C-alpha cells in the first residue's frame, strides 16, 4: 500500500469552512454574541500558526504572544503613520512579525527542549517589556488606540469591515488561507523534515539536514502568521494592548493548543480555541472562576491525555475501526 | 586497496577524562573493518569523531584525501558518510518507508520545498522501497517505526543509513540486543552489503566480526592496541586473553 498524495483541500476542510461561514446567521440565536465568532477565528488562526513550532517541529515556544502582539502593533502603526490601506497594513504586520521571529530564531535555533523554552520566554518578555515601556510609540499600558477596521479594497469594489459580521467573514477567509497554506506546508518535503526533526533531531542531522536552518525557518513562518492573526485582532479590538504579549497570554495559546490536541492533530489547536472561548462564555456566565476550571481541565489533559481532545477522538476512531474489523472477521468466519 | 577514509592521531577528551588517545585508523575502499574492545573503551566516541558529531581535540580525519576534520554531521552526510547508532535513532512516529525516504539525497535536495506534497511522490517512494527491499523490510514498509519488532528496527536503522547512498557506512554494534535468529539475519545482511560499500563495524560478537571483517582494530582505554587481519589477531595476546577471542 503506497501512500496517496494529500489533496490541496480536503472535503472535510471545505465542510469546516462552510459551517464556519454560517456562524453569523445563528450564533445570536444560541445565546452567544457575534463578536465571539470573530475572536474564535482569529485565535484559531493564531493557534494553527503557533502549532507549526510546538506540534509540528517540537519547538517549545512559550513566548509566542510577542509575535501576535508585534503583528497587532505593526498593523496599527502602519495605518496610523504610514498608509491606511488594509493590504499594506496586513503585509506590514506579517513582515514585522516574520522579521522578529527570524531574528529571535537566529539566537535560539541551536537550542533544544527546556533551554529553547527558556529563551523563547526571555525574548517574549523583552518584546512585552518594550511594548509596555515605549509609551510614545505603543501607548504603553494604555494601548494603541483608534486602530480602524480598514475596508477591503478589491479594485472593482470596496467592502467595509466595520460590522462584526463583515469582519468575521474577512477573518474567516484569512483563517482558511492560513489553514490551507499550513496544510500544504505540513505535507510538503519541508513539513516532513520538520516532523522528522521533532522526532529525532540527531538523526535528522546525520542524514544531512541543516537542522538549525529548518528550526529557524519554522519559527519565523510561525511567528509571521501569528503576526497576521495579531493584525486581525487589532482590527477586531480597534486597538492593540501589550497584555497579549505577556507570558500569561503566551501560555494560554499553548494551553489551547495542547487541550485541543495539537501534538497529534493538525486541527487540534482549532478545537482547543473553540473550547477555550466557549468555556469562557458559557462557564464564565455561571462562575467568575471559569479560568480555574479551564486550568484544571488543562492539567487533567496534560497528566492523563497529552494528545488532547483530538488524540482522544483518534483513539476512539481507531478502537471502533478495530472493533468493526473484528466483527467483519468473525462474520466471515461463520 | 587505497584508503578511502583515514583518521590520523585523534585525541578526544571530555573534561579531564581522556577518551581517545592517539588513534590512527585507515579504512580501505570496499573493505569491511571491524572494531572491537571492551565497554567504555571509546569505540562509539571514535565513531562520533569520525562522523562529525564531535570535533577531535587534535588529529585529522580524511575522506578520499580531503580533510574533513570537524565538519558537522550534515556536511559529513552530504560527503557520503553514513552511520547507524548503538542505541537506535529512528523517526519513531512515521512509517519505515518515510524513515528511509527522509534519508534519500533526492528528498534532502527538496527539503525546502513547501508546497507540493512529499508523501505521494512516486519516485521517492520507489527509491525508498528499493532500500527497504535490500534490508528485507519491504513487506513492513507501511508500519510505523515504533511498532516494528526489535530486529526489524535494527534493520531499519541500517536502511536509513543506506538510503543516503553513502561511500562509507559506519555501523555501531548493529547486532546489539538481537537473539541468535536476528543475529544470523543481520550477519547475512552485512555479508550482502560487503563489497558493495565500504564498511566499518563496531561489534562485540567475535564470531560475527571474525567471519566478516577484512581487518580488525582493537580499541582499549582509548587507544588502538592491536590491528590486523582476523587471522593475525587471533594470535594477539589481548585478543587471546579475552575469553571472547577464542570463540571463533
Ligand atoms: N558526550 C560525552 N560526554 C562525556 N563523557 C562521554 C561522552 N561520550 C562518552 N563518554 C565517556 O567516554 C568513554 C567511552 O565511551 P564510548 O561510548 O565511546 O565507549 P564504547 O567503547 O562505545 O563502549 P560500549 O561498548 O559500552 O558502547 C566512557 O567512559 C563514556 O562515559
Ligand atoms: Mg559504544
Amino acid at each position: 500500500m503506497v501512500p496517496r498524495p494529500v489533496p490541496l483541500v480536503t472535503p472535510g476542510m471545505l465542510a469546516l469552512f462552510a459551517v464556519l461561514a454560517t456562524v453569523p446567521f445563528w450564533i445570536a440565536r444560541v445565546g452567544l454574541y457575534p463578536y465571539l465568532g470573530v475572536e474564535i477565528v482569529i485565535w484559531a488562526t493564531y493557534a494553527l500558526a503557533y502549532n507549526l513550532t510546538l506540534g509540528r517541529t517540537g519547538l517549545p515556544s512559550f513566548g509566542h504572544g510577542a509575535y501576535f502582539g508585534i503583528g497587532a502593533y505593526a498593523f496599527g502603526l502602519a495605518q496610523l503613520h504610514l498608509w491606511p490601506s488594509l493590504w499594506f497594513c496586513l503585509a506590514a504586520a506579517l513582515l514585522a512579525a516574520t522579521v522578529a521571529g527570524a531574528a529571535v530564531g537566529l539566537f535560539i535555533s541551536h537550542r533544544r527542549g527546556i533551554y529553547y523554552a527558556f529563551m523563547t520566554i526571555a525574548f517574549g518578555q523583552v518584546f512585552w517589556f518594550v511594548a509596555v515601556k515605549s509609551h510614545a510609540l505603543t501607548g504603553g499600558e494604555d494601548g494603541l488606540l483608534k486602530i480602524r477596521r480598514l475596508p477591503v479594497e478589491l479594485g472593482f469594489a470596496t467592502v467595509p469591515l466595520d460590522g462584526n459580521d463583515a469582519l468575521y467573514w474577512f477573518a474567516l477567509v484569512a483563517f482558511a488561507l492560513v489553514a490551507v497554506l499550513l496544510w500544504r506546508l505540513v505535507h510538503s518535503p519541508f513539513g516532513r523534515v520538520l516532523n522528522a526533526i521533532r522526532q529525532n533531531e540527531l538523526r535528522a542531522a546525520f542524514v544531512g539536514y541543516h537542522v538549525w536552518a529548518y528550526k529557524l525557518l519554522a519559527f519565523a513562518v510561525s511567528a509571521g502568521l501569528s503576526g497576521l492573526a495579531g493584525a486581525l485582532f487589532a482590527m477586531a479590538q480597534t486597538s492593540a494592548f501589550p497584555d497579549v504579549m505577556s507570558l500569561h497570554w503566551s501560555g494560554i495559546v499553548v494551553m489551547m493548543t495542547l487541550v485541543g490536541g495539537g501534538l497529534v492533530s493538525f486541527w487540534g489547536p482549532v478545537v482547543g480555541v473553540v473550547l477555550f472561548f466557549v468555556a469562557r462564555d458559557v462557564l464564565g456566565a455561571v462562575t467568575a472562576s471559569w479560568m480555574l476550571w479551564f486550568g484544571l481541565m488543562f492539567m487533567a489533559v496534560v497528566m492523563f491525555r497529552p494528545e488532547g481532545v483530538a488524540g482522544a477522538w483518534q483513539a476512539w476512531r481507531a478502537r471502533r475501526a478495530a472493533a468493526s474489523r473484528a466483527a467483519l472477521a468473525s462474520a466471515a468466519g461463520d | 586497496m587505497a584508503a578511502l577514509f583515514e583518521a590520523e592521531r585523534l585525541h578526544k577528551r571530555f573534561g579531564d577524562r581522556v577518551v581517545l588517545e592517539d588513534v590512527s585508523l585507515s579504512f580501505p575502499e570496499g573493505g569491511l573493518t571491524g572494531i572491537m574492545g571492551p565497554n567504555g573503551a571509546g569505540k562509539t566516541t571514535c565513531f562520533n569523531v569520525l562522523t562529525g558529531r564531535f570535533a577531535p581535540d587534535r588529529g585529522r580525519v580524511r575522506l578520499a584525501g580531503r580533510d574533513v576534520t570537524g565538519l558537522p554531521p550534515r556536511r559529513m552526510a552530504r560527503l557520503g558518510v553514513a552511520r547507524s547508532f548503538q542505541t537506535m535513532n529512528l523517526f519513531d512516529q512515521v512509517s519505515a518507508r518515510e524513515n528511509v525516504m527522509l534519508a534519500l539525497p533526492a528528498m534532502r535536495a527538496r527539503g525546502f520545498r513547501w508546497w507540493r506534497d512529499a508523501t505521494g511522490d512516486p519516485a521517492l517512494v520507489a527509491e525508498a522501497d528499493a532500500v527497504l527491499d535490500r534490508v528485507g523490510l519491504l513487506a513492513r514498509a507501511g508500519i510505523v517505526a515504533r511498532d516494528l519488532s526489535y530486529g526489524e528496527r535494527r534493520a531499519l536503522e541500517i536502511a536509513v543509513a543506506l538510503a543516503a547512498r553513502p561511500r562509507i557506512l559506519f555501523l555501531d554494534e548493529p547486532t546489539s540486543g538481537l537473539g541468535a535468529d536476528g543475529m544470523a539475519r543481520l550477519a547475512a545482511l552485512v555479508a550482502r552489503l560487503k563489497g558493495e560499500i565500504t564498511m566499518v563495524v563496531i561489534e562485540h560478537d567475535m564470531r560475527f566480526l571474525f567471519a566478516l571483517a577484512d581487518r580488525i582494530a582493537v580499541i582499549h582505554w582509548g587507544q588502538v592496541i592491536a590491528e590486523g587481519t582476523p587471522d593475525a589477531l587471533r594470535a594477539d595476546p589481548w585478543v587471546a586473553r579475552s575469553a571472547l577471542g577464542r570463540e571463533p
Side-chain angles (χ1 to χ4, degrees), chain A residues 1-277:
Chain A
M1 189 206 61
V2 168
R4 265 162 302 165
V6 178
L8 174 67
V9 182
T10 62
M13 228 191 249
L14 290 178
L16 173 72
F17 298 153
V19 169
L20 287 176
T22 65
V23 163
F25 300 118
W26 50 263
I27 191 163
R29 257 179 265 162
V30 298
L32 301 167
Y33 56 97
Y35 184 72
L36 177 69
V38 176
E39 281 182 302
I40 287 180
V41 283
I42 290 172
W43 281 76
T45 308
Y46 176 23
L48 272 184
Y50 171 66
N51 203 37
L52 183 62
T53 59
L54 182 71
R56 190 46 52 168
T57 321
L59 303 174
S61 168
F62 296 151
H64 238 62
Y67 313 102
F68 186 72
I70 286 172
Y73 281 117
F75 182 84
L77 292 170
Q79 79 164 244
L80 294 173
H81 300 299
L82 296 173
W83 180 25
S85 141
L86 179 65
W87 304 127
F88 172 76
C89 296
L90 287 177
L94 184 67
L95 184 72
T98 306
V99 168
V104 170
L106 285 175
F107 291 98
I108 67 176
S109 295
H110 60 293
R111 296 276 181 203
R112 258 191 278 191
I114 192 87
Y115 302 101
Y116 191 92
F118 277 134
M119 293 190 77
T120 59
I121 291 174
F123 277 105
Q125 291 294 94
V126 168
F127 285 120
W128 168 78
F129 188 78
V130 169
V132 171
K133 291 295 167 191
S134 46
H135 209 276
L137 193 64
T138 64
E141 306 263 25
D142 302 330
L144 185 63
L145 305 176
K146 302 210 180 77
I147 295 177
R148 277 191 300 134
R149 296 181 176 183
L150 299 166
V152 185
E153 309 270 4
L154 292 171
F156 56 90
T158 300
V159 185
L161 293 183
D162 299 307
N164 278 338
D165 287 351
L167 185 64
Y168 174 82
W169 279 310
F170 181 74
L172 179 59
V173 170
F175 167 75
L177 289 176
V178 168
V180 169
L181 185 132
L182 285 170
W183 177 260
R184 292 313 309 162
L185 191 150
V186 156
H187 292 100
S188 70
F190 181 64
R192 307 312 302 180
V193 175
L194 297 184
N195 192 38
I197 288 172
R198 171 176 54 95
Q199 295 168 67
N200 198 329
E201 211 175 300
L202 181 71
R203 191 68 188 239
F206 271 99
V207 295
Y209 292 105
H210 197 326
V211 171
W212 183 85
Y214 281 88
K215 284 165 77 172
L216 186 141
L217 269 175
F219 193 80
V221 170
S222 170
L225 295 176
S226 299
L228 189 66
L232 296 172
F233 194 59
M235 273 210 277
Q237 291 197 312
T238 62
S239 49
F241 293 96
D243 58 341
V244 290
M245 301 174 79
S246 66
L247 189 54
H248 172 74
W249 276 96
S250 291
I252 283 177
V253 76
V254 180
M255 226 154 84
M256 293 171 175
T257 302
L258 286 177
V259 167
L263 294 190
V264 296
S265 154
F266 181 83
W267 298 105
V270 177
V271 175
V273 168
V274 173
L275 272 180
F276 178 87
F277 282 105

Side-chain angles (χ1 to χ4, degrees), chain B residues 14 17 19 37-46 54 86 173 204:
Chain B
F14 293 112
R17 175 137 172 41
V19 180
N39 290 107
K43 305 181 296 295
T44 297
T45 304
C46 180
F54 304 131
Q86 182 173 354
E173 300 200 22
H204 279 298

Side-chain angles (χ1 to χ4, degrees), chain B residues 208-241:
Chain B
F208 181 98
L209 216 52
F210 278 76
L212 290 170
D214 301 312
R215 295 186 75 79
I216 295 176
V218 181
I219 296 185
H220 196 20
W221 295 121
Q223 290 176 305
V224 179
I225 56 162
E227 207 272 327
T229 62
D231 286 334
L233 273 189
R234 275 197 191 96
D236 181 86
W238 185 87
V239 180
R241 227 180 307 120

Side-chain angles (χ1 to χ4, degrees), chain B residues 89-186:
Chain B
N89 264 306
L90 295 168
F91 304 116
D92 275 325
Q93 293 156 37
V94 295
S95 65
R97 179 183 283 123
E98 187 161 339
N99 266 273
V100 172
M101 238 163 84
L102 281 161
L104 297 172
M107 176 79 176
R108 207 165 57 199
R110 62 189 81 171
F112 288 111
R113 296 193 197 165
W114 60 274
W115 184 254
R116 285 275 286 281
D117 181 72
T119 2
D121 188 325
L124 286 183
V125 172
E127 207 181 333
D129 283 359
V131 177
L132 287 169
D133 200 21
R134 260 172 110 184
V135 304
L137 277 181
L138 185 54
R140 307 284 282 161
I143 310 288
V144 173
R146 182 183 40 202
D147 297 336
L148 293 171
S149 75
Y150 185 83
E152 288 167 342
R153 283 167 61 77
R154 278 273 162 222
L156 183 57
E157 181 71 39
I158 294 179
V160 172
L162 275 180
R165 297 167 173 267
R167 303 180 67 179
I168 183 165
L169 178 58
F170 290 87
L171 302 178
D172 194 347
E173 300 200 22
T175 69
S176 127
L178 289 176
D181 233 33
M183 181 84 89
R185 229 170 292 141
L186 219 120

